[in-house]
Structure formats: structure tokens, C-alpha cells
Amino acid sequence: MRDVAVVGFAQRQMEEFDGSPTCVELLVPLFAECYEQTGFTRKDIGFWCSGSSDYLAGRSFSFVSAVDAIGVIPPVNESHVEMDAAWALYEAWVKIQTGEVDTALVYGFGKSSAGVLRRTLALQLDPYTLTPLWPDTVSLAGLQARAGIDAGAWDERAMAEVVNRSLTDAEKNEYAVRRGGSSVEELLARPMYADPLRKHDCAPVTDGASALVLAAGDRARDAVDRPAWITGIAHNVDPLHLGVRDLTRSPSAAAAATAAGTAGVEVAELHAPFSHQEIVLTRELGLGSDVLVNPSGGALAGNPMFTGGLNRIGEAARRVWSGDHGRVLGHATSGPALQQNLVCTMSAEQGAN
């Protein structure tokens, strides 16, 4: 296997929807930032891969318009996934493993404000038995949270503790669209939104985009002094039908963690759009109490569609670049109630497992 590292990362999360720029307007400065970080130019990128949704954008082949941000002359080697850009990262990692290219730029973008996101996402459910009921994402997460409370796996206080820590940590994150902890008691005193969820238990609807650069071997060492070498990456999926799985667990997350290897992880950036899902993921990924979880504030501080998961990997990689930590984990999820999960472990040591 080739040694591949994350060597660049840039993101934007929009605090307000009015005047929210187009995908091209978002991506051009992000690409420029990645070039500046790595010293690469457009000609140094061997492969481009994006994550977005034509349906969310409201037009067919909407991802093609994003290629304008790259520049189409001369032609580029480009691909696209209809998923969070964390899965585009996986495709780019595989592309580098083939030996066809040494570098890749992964990017994602989503404009959730174009519609009612929580209802739009009902269309990812089974079209025969679930979508006709139009169960929105918050209501499904509420069912999952209630199942965990009834099973004794967590309680409302544990959920509030996750929120308070996340929003307090988000005060140090310049990209967070929601920040500022208060107290667990104050959070518990707030009204219910979708019992047992309060609004702060749910990730904010966020427009945004991100870009991340991968490089192999010497190209990675040329780009950054301390590359975040990918030591393991895997993704798995659980059944789509909610009635055939235990919503208090996430076997796909556990399987991905086992395949990627989580031993020795110091920091974990978990893509948990709802507070109780961080509790599920911490357990399923086998993270101990000594692991620093979501120091960026996580998805509760900002969760752009199609980059929420990529952001977690980029934020984790930054911890390696800075020299603050030697082994980190980035996680992404997609689908209802943690149905699909991707785990990416990174290390300051090349070839570490």
C-alpha cells in the first residue's frame, strides 16, 4: 500500500443564508487556500473528486458547474460522488493507491437553505414504505434518542453535557456557526423541540463548502512539514429499514473502526449531527475517556451538507500538522440514524498502524 497523507484543508460555513454564494464562488477561494498551504498549483493535482447532490441543488449534473472553479482548460481528471465528500476522499485515496496519480484534491459543497432540509432528506429512505410517510430527520433522530433513553444507554443530562462541551469548544473555532456553552442545567431548562430533543441537540442547517488535499510519499513531505498520514480508512453500511436494526447501536461504525484501527487515537472528530449520536459513536468506535472528542465543536457547531464529514477529517488532520497530537481519527456519517459510517485514522508517523 502507498503511504498517503492529508496535506491541505480549507472550509467555509455560512452563518447566514441571505446572499449565500454559489458553489463556484465558495470553492475558488478554498482551492486558492489549499494551493497556498501546500505550494501546489492546479497543474500539480492529479485527480479531483467532489461530493454534492444534484437533487439538493435542484438541477441535473449540478456538480459539473463546480468544475468552473477548477478551470476546464486543459481538461482535468475528475469524478463525483452523490455523498458527503468524505466518501470522495475515499475514492481519491483508492485512485492514489492504483499508482495512476500522486496527488488529489477532494471537495464538497451544499446549499441546504435552498429548501426544507429535514423534509428533503426523507427522500433517502425506502421509497415504498418510509418516504411516503415523510418522516423528517429530526423526528427520526428523536426516535433514536428516545430508544436510547428507554434502554438506559444515555439520558437527557448526558446529551446536554455533549452539547455544553461542544459549544464551549466551538468558541475557539472561527468557522463555527453556533458556539457558546452555558451550563447543563440551563440547557435542560430549555423547551423540547422533538421530544426528547431540544434545538441545541440538533446540528444547525448550514450552507458551506470544503476542500482537502491528499498526496503520496515525497509529494506529501514536500507539501507540509508534518503530514497527517492515513493509517486506516474504511466505510460500512447498516440496513436502511429502521425496524430491522437496534437504533441504540451502530454496527457499521464499529466495523469501520475495527478495519481502520483506532488504537492509540488521541483526538477523534466525530460527525454526530445529534447530541446522542456522539454517545453512540464514542462507544461503537471504542474510544476511551482519555480521547479528546470534537475539540472543534463538531457538527453541533456547524454541519454543511456534503462536507460535514469531510470537515471532521480535515479538523483532525490539523491536529497532526500543528504538532499537538500524533494520532487522530476523523469520522463521517450519512443516511438516517447513523446508517452509513466512514472512519479515517491518521498519524504523524509514516506507515504507522
Side-chain angles (χ1 to χ4, degrees):
M1 300 289 285
R2 304 185 72 190
D3 289 330
V4 179
V6 178
V7 296
F9 174 64
Q11 63 172 306
R12 293 292 184 276
Q13 301 188 61
M14 311 304 297
E15 293 193 29
E16 298 180 358
F17 295 148
D18 289 345
S20 184
T22 66
C23 64
V24 174
E25 292 171 329
L26 277 173
L27 290 171
V28 168
L30 294 185
F31 293 168
E33 188 173 337
C34 286
Y35 296 151
E36 183 177 357
Q37 290 174 7
T38 60
F40 292 166
T41 68
R42 176 183 180 275
K43 294 180 180 179
D44 291 308
I45 305 300
F47 180 62
W48 301 75
C49 195
S50 62
S52 66
S53 170
D54 289 346
Y55 190 89
L56 190 69
R59 58 186 184 275
S60 299
F61 299 101
S62 64
F63 69 91
V64 175
S65 65
V67 178
D68 289 342
I70 302 173
V72 295
I73 299 175
V76 296
N77 186 4
E78 186 269 344
S79 185
H80 173 260
V81 299
E82 195 90 359
M83 288 282 285
D84 188 289
W87 275 263
L89 180 149
Y90 185 89
E91 180 177 339
W93 177 81
V94 171
K95 184 77 169 181
I96 293 176
Q97 292 299 331
T98 67
E100 293 184 20
V101 299
D102 295 324
T103 59
L105 195 151
V106 177
Y107 62 98
F109 54 93
K111 195 167 183 176
S112 303
S113 62
V116 182
L117 183 64
R118 56 185 289 184
R119 283 181 58 81
T120 300
L121 291 179
L123 293 169
Q124 68 185 337
L125 302 171
D126 178 82
Y128 298 104
T129 62
L130 292 177
T131 297
L133 301 176
W134 288 98
D136 63 85
T137 51
V138 175
S139 297
L140 293 178
L143 291 174
Q144 183 183 37
R146 175 57 62 191
I149 291 173
D150 290 348
W154 57 78
D155 56 24
E156 291 180 25
R157 174 167 289 274
M159 293 160 59
E161 288 172 349
V162 169
V163 175
N164 191 52
R165 172 177 47 78
S166 298
L167 298 187
T168 298
D169 288 342
E171 293 177 5
K172 297 173 288 186
N173 182 356
E174 62 179 305
Y175 302 107
V177 301
R178 180 195 286 167
R179 57 172 67 87
S182 51
S183 71
V184 172
E185 286 69 25
E186 192 275 331
L187 291 172
L188 289 172
R190 294 179 183 177
M192 289 291 180
Y193 180 51
D195 194 352
L197 300 177
R198 297 169 172 84
K199 281 194 175 182
H200 55 247
D201 289 304
C202 313
V205 175
T206 317
D207 290 356
S210 297
L212 181 148
V213 183
L214 297 177
D218 289 340
R219 297 305 301 274
R221 286 184 286 272
D222 291 340
V224 65
D225 292 336
R226 187 178 161 96
W229 298 102
I230 295 176
T231 57
I233 185 168
H235 62 95
N236 291 77
V237 59
D238 291 323
L240 175 62
H241 289 277
L242 303 177
V244 301
R245 55 187 171 108
D246 180 356
L247 296 182
T248 69
R249 305 296 304 269
S250 181
S252 61
T258 298
T262 60
V265 165
E266 303 164 48
V267 176
E269 282 282 346
L270 306 181
H271 188 195
F274 299 92
S275 58
H276 64 277
Q277 293 181 348
E278 181 184 302
I279 300 172
V280 176
L281 290 168
T282 299
R283 179 182 60 192
E284 296 294 337
L285 272 57
L287 303 178
S289 59
D290 58 332
V291 177
L292 185 62
V293 177
N294 283 344
S296 68
L300 294 179
N303 187 40
M305 277 300 298
F306 304 106
T307 64
L310 187 69
N311 286 353
R312 306 280 66 78
I313 297 172
E315 290 283 2
R318 281 177 170 169
R319 295 276 165 171
V320 175
W321 301 338
S322 67
D324 293 337
H325 298 92
R327 185 161 169 78
V328 299
L329 178 151
H331 161 268
T333 193
S334 184
L338 299 175
Q339 183 211 3
Q340 303 174 53
N341 292 276
L342 181 149
V343 173
C344 177
T345 53
M346 293 164 282
S347 173
E349 297 182 28
Q350 186 174 0
N353 291 311

